[in-house]
Amino acid sequence: MSTKGLIWLFIFAMIIGGTAAGIYYSQTSASSTSSSAMDGMNMEDTSADEHLNHDSSNTSASENDTMSEETPEPSPSPEADITTSQEVSSNSNDTLNGASPSNELINLQPKPGQPVKGFTLTAMESNLQITEGVTLPVWTYNGTVPGQEIRVTQGDFVQVTLKNDLKVPVTIHWHGYPVSSETDGVPGVSQDAVLPGETFTYSFSVDVAGTYWYHSHQESSEQVDKGLYGALIVEPKDTARPDKDYTLLLDEWINPEDASNAQETTGMSGMEGMAGMADTTSMSDEEMMSSMYSLYTVNGKSGAMITPLEAKVGDTVRLRLINAGYRSHAIHIPGEFKVVSTDGQDIEKPTTLQNQLVTVAPGERYDIEFKVSSPEDFTIDAHDDNKYNDQLVIPFKVAGSNGKVKAVQHSDLTGFDLFSYGKPATKAGAAAAETYALEYTAVLNSKMNGDQLVYTINDKVFSDLPALQVKTGDNVKITFINEGEVDHPMHVHGHFFQVLEKNGVKVNSTLMKDTVLVKPGEKIVITFKADNPGSWMIHCHELHHAAAGMAQQLIYSDFVSSYTPDPSKADNKPE
């Protein structure tokens, strides 16, 4: 088999079998990962060059993929349970994950008089009809994909209890939200994975408004792919609401017919068929991946099954675009609009745009606002190099249109330049620093490691990379250089960062983000203040790349965690 065939064989095995974590994990438990990391964090003089052990077991979850004979019906998405601070306080020390004393409810308490919102998310198997004739077995939170939207108000205290009814361990990571380290949901780093039949409660104050999302961080390249994700929306407390507010989670799915077509083409089944197809067609790995992920969805539905959006003339509409998949999507909004937020952070002084595409990379969020000005229906769609954009068309129904459809400009569309949008850049915080306690260059690439394709930072995979070390108050500068052939959306846990430069040119906008797309050949410089003590991850949010090694830990030397990894837990796989 050719090298290209071997590469694709591996990628397909990673996606379907859930075995990708074995690339950068050795056979030992991930519990030793955080134990070593915590030791490093508690030592004032620990060098940043010291290698930490980030190992985990290399077991496959494929044996657990079989659906039960009776698939539970999707549960409704209830309103938040409103509780009092006294009720929360009385339960704060209950052990919710009985097999592991470290998986207790983190002892965070609401302030006196603070509103408390409670939710329960049950990880469970279900079936999802994506489009006519295509129903897939999925893993869900509360029986639906996406999972229940958690919509709260700035200033609330939130408690989310995760119940695991799956046959595999799971967690919840609050993507982009600056929770405490021990609520971050990374197994082996901030908690033990929640085993089948167990529960775990996450508690945090929502003091920062914006659009965020949640997903499992346990073998996430498999578990997010199977549907374990949902939206976290924090509405501002003292700001007027739009007339219509829609959350749109974008994703891509593998069509089972593709595997069948590969078998027909090559005479081989499953992974061998896909590898053989790569050989016979000379397709690149990126081309093969884009061909396999041939079902594009909005809120779990594709094509004609996408739920139309509705408004009336004069309404202000807010669209919250969240990319839960692995491909970037360039979204076209007809007429005039503004991009008012990125990654949950408001953009100061946004200007009016028209005939421009807003590209949402994996892990990113963009909030768009516009006013409905005409009594005609229209569509929101995608315009880029993706192969199946005809499925990503969102109908917009305007009251009183009587079926009339607005003629929409689809040619001469240009890309929206986030880095020159909004208020001009100002020197404040870490961006104004003359020196940095940590300056780090991360060269992003890939290579073959034997017969395995790995994605690397500075030519190393996660298990071989030293943790980046900071202390509270440090100014940090990280330079991402993409020397590979595919996109890498880089995500920093627990922090918002400012983008300083792109390809040597200073960014002319005051942007705060938690995920930034680094395309092949690009160099992007970010900075942030180390203001959230803990143990964190930096990784590519094309989650197959993270699973294949493109991840690194960021730890505070002055942080002492209350989480103690269970050395018997071989289930922690923090990809």
Side-chain angles (χ1 to χ4, degrees):
M1 184 183 295
S2 71
T3 300
K4 185 173 291 184
L6 285 170
I7 294 173
W8 179 246
L9 174 61
F10 167 73
I11 293 176
F12 188 77
M14 175 173 64
I15 298 168
I16 300 300
T19 57
I23 298 174
Y24 66 84
Y25 294 137
S26 71
Q27 294 293 333
T28 58
S29 168
S31 303
S32 62
T33 299
S34 291
S35 179
S36 298
M38 298 305 161
D39 289 344
M41 284 185 284
N42 294 334
M43 295 174 60
E44 290 288 338
D45 298 327
T46 301
S47 169
D49 295 328
E50 179 181 346
H51 285 228
L52 299 179
N53 179 10
H54 300 280
D55 297 339
S56 177
S57 63
N58 181 20
T59 56
S60 172
S62 59
E63 63 185 10
N64 295 314
D65 290 349
T66 304
M67 290 289 294
S68 60
E69 293 183 4
E70 295 184 4
T71 301
E73 291 294 324
S75 62
S77 295
E79 295 295 323
D81 300 322
I82 308 300
T83 59
T84 67
S85 59
Q86 287 79 12
E87 289 174 322
V88 174
S89 177
S90 66
N91 293 320
S92 62
N93 294 315
D94 290 347
T95 299
L96 297 172
N97 205 5
S100 171
S102 62
N103 269 10
E104 295 182 2
L105 178 63
I106 295 171
N107 193 22
L108 297 177
Q109 300 298 313
K111 301 172 184 176
Q114 184 177 16
V116 179
K117 303 290 177 64
F119 301 82
T120 297
L121 296 177
T122 301
M124 59 192 294
E125 295 178 343
S126 188
N127 286 315
L128 175 67
Q129 184 179 12
I130 287 180
T131 189
E132 292 292 337
V134 180
T135 298
L136 301 179
V138 292
W139 294 350
T140 72
Y141 293 113
N142 287 2
T144 63
V145 178
Q148 176 188 346
E149 178 173 289
I150 297 177
R151 186 176 284 258
V152 292
T153 302
Q154 185 179 14
D156 287 346
F157 188 86
V158 176
Q159 282 196 317
V160 181
T161 297
L162 169 62
K163 297 174 63 177
N164 187 6
D165 285 351
L166 290 171
K167 300 173 184 176
V168 297
V170 297
T171 68
I172 299 178
H173 164 61
W174 309 97
H175 182 108
Y177 209 80
V179 297
S180 66
S181 173
E182 292 161 313
T183 313
D184 197 41
V186 180
V189 175
S190 58
Q191 67 172 97
D192 290 324
V194 182
L195 298 179
E198 295 183 344
T199 61
F200 183 90
T201 296
Y202 299 88
S203 301
F204 51 96
S205 285
V206 287
D207 301 318
V208 183
T211 300
Y212 306 92
W213 62 299
Y214 63 88
H215 62 81
S216 179
H217 220 288
Q218 166 80 3
E219 293 192 295
S220 56
S221 64
E222 178 188 18
Q223 295 196 2
V224 177
D225 226 23
K226 285 180 174 288
L228 284 175
Y229 60 81
L232 169 64
I233 308 300
V234 182
E235 295 182 332
K237 185 175 183 179
D238 300 317
T239 303
R241 306 287 196 271
D243 299 298
K244 296 290 184 179
D245 189 326
Y246 292 108
T247 304
L248 305 172
L249 282 103
L250 311 177
D251 198 3
E252 313 85 28
W253 301 75
I254 295 175
N255 190 334
E257 291 184 1
D258 292 328
S260 299
N261 292 338
Q263 182 175 2
E264 292 176 4
T265 300
T266 63
M268 297 178 286
S269 63
M271 294 176 290
E272 290 182 349
M274 289 298 172
M277 195 180 217
D279 286 336
T280 58
T281 62
S282 298
M283 296 177 73
S284 71
D285 309 310
E286 174 66 13
E287 289 171 332
M288 182 61 76
M289 291 280 280
S290 65
S291 294
M292 284 189 57
Y293 280 86
S294 58
L295 295 170
Y296 293 178
T297 60
V298 179
N299 294 339
K301 300 298 180 184
S302 180
M305 291 193 69
I306 294 175
T307 302
L309 310 182
E310 298 179 350
K312 65 181 184 296
V313 174
D315 279 352
T316 297
V317 178
R318 190 179 189 106
L319 305 178
R320 301 176 185 267
L321 297 167
I322 303 173
N323 193 337
Y326 91 100
R327 299 194 68 79
S328 296
H329 294 284
I331 304 300
H332 173 224
I333 295 91
E336 294 183 345
F337 65 93
K338 293 180 180 180
V339 179
V340 296
S341 176
T342 177
D343 291 355
Q345 300 300 288
D346 288 345
I347 295 176
E348 296 186 65
K349 299 182 179 179
T351 54
T352 300
L353 302 170
Q354 189 169 13
N355 298 327
Q356 295 196 47
L357 302 173
V358 179
T359 297
V360 190
E364 282 190 319
R365 289 90 63 213
Y366 286 89
D367 286 20
I368 293 167
E369 285 194 357
F370 61 88
K371 180 164 286 192
V372 178
S373 59
S374 171
E376 296 175 303
D377 297 339
F378 58 93
T379 59
I380 297 168
D381 52 9
H383 290 264
D384 48 40
D385 294 333
N386 289 333
K387 298 177 65 173
Y388 304 102
N389 283 337
D390 58 323
Q391 302 172 11
L392 210 165
V393 179
I394 306 168
F396 201 108
K397 304 294 184 182
V398 179
S401 69
N402 297 321
K404 294 182 293 184
V405 180
K406 181 190 299 185
V408 176
Q409 169 75 17
H410 287 289
S411 59
D412 299 323
L413 301 176
T414 59
F416 159 66
D417 182 8
L418 176 65
F419 296 120
S420 61
Y421 187 70
K423 180 181 177 181
T426 56
K427 288 190 175 182
E434 295 184 0
T435 60
Y436 293 87
L438 174 64
E439 290 191 55
Y440 183 68
T441 298
V443 179
L444 314 175
N445 213 330
S446 62
K447 65 181 180 180
M448 293 302 297
N449 181 14
D451 61 354
Q452 295 178 330
L453 176 67
V454 295
Y455 285 90
T456 59
I457 297 175
N458 296 335
D459 206 41
K460 296 179 180 179
V461 295
F462 181 53
S463 59
D464 298 327
L465 281 162
L468 304 180
Q469 295 203 19
V470 298
K471 64 180 184 297
T472 304
D474 282 351
N475 293 315
V476 179
K477 180 189 285 187
I478 298 178
T479 300
F480 295 114
I481 302 175
N482 188 346
E483 293 187 352
E485 299 179 353
V486 295
D487 292 354
H488 294 302
M490 299 304 295
H491 173 51
V492 179
H493 284 216
H495 301 78
F496 297 114
F497 55 76
Q498 185 168 346
V499 181
L500 293 180
E501 295 181 14
K502 178 180 179 181
N503 298 331
V505 178
K506 291 184 178 180
V507 168
N508 191 34
S509 178
T510 305
L511 293 173
M512 299 301 292
K513 293 179 63 61
D514 58 65
T515 306
V516 64
L517 178 62
V518 189
K519 294 183 177 181
E522 287 187 344
K523 174 183 176 181
I524 291 181
V525 182
I526 68 169
T527 185
F528 60 90
K529 183 172 286 292
D531 57 4
N532 194 2
S535 181
W536 305 101
M537 298 290 291
I538 300 173
H539 64 89
C540 180
H541 221 278
E542 207 291 41
L543 294 172
H544 305 111
H545 299 171
M550 191 171 281
Q552 192 164 10
Q553 199 167 6
L554 172 74
I555 62 177
Y556 282 63
S557 60
D558 55 348
F559 171 73
V560 178
S561 175
S562 63
Y563 162 65
T564 302
D566 183 344
S568 68
K569 291 264 186 175
D571 302 284
N572 292 327
K573 298 176 183 177
E575 70 174 62

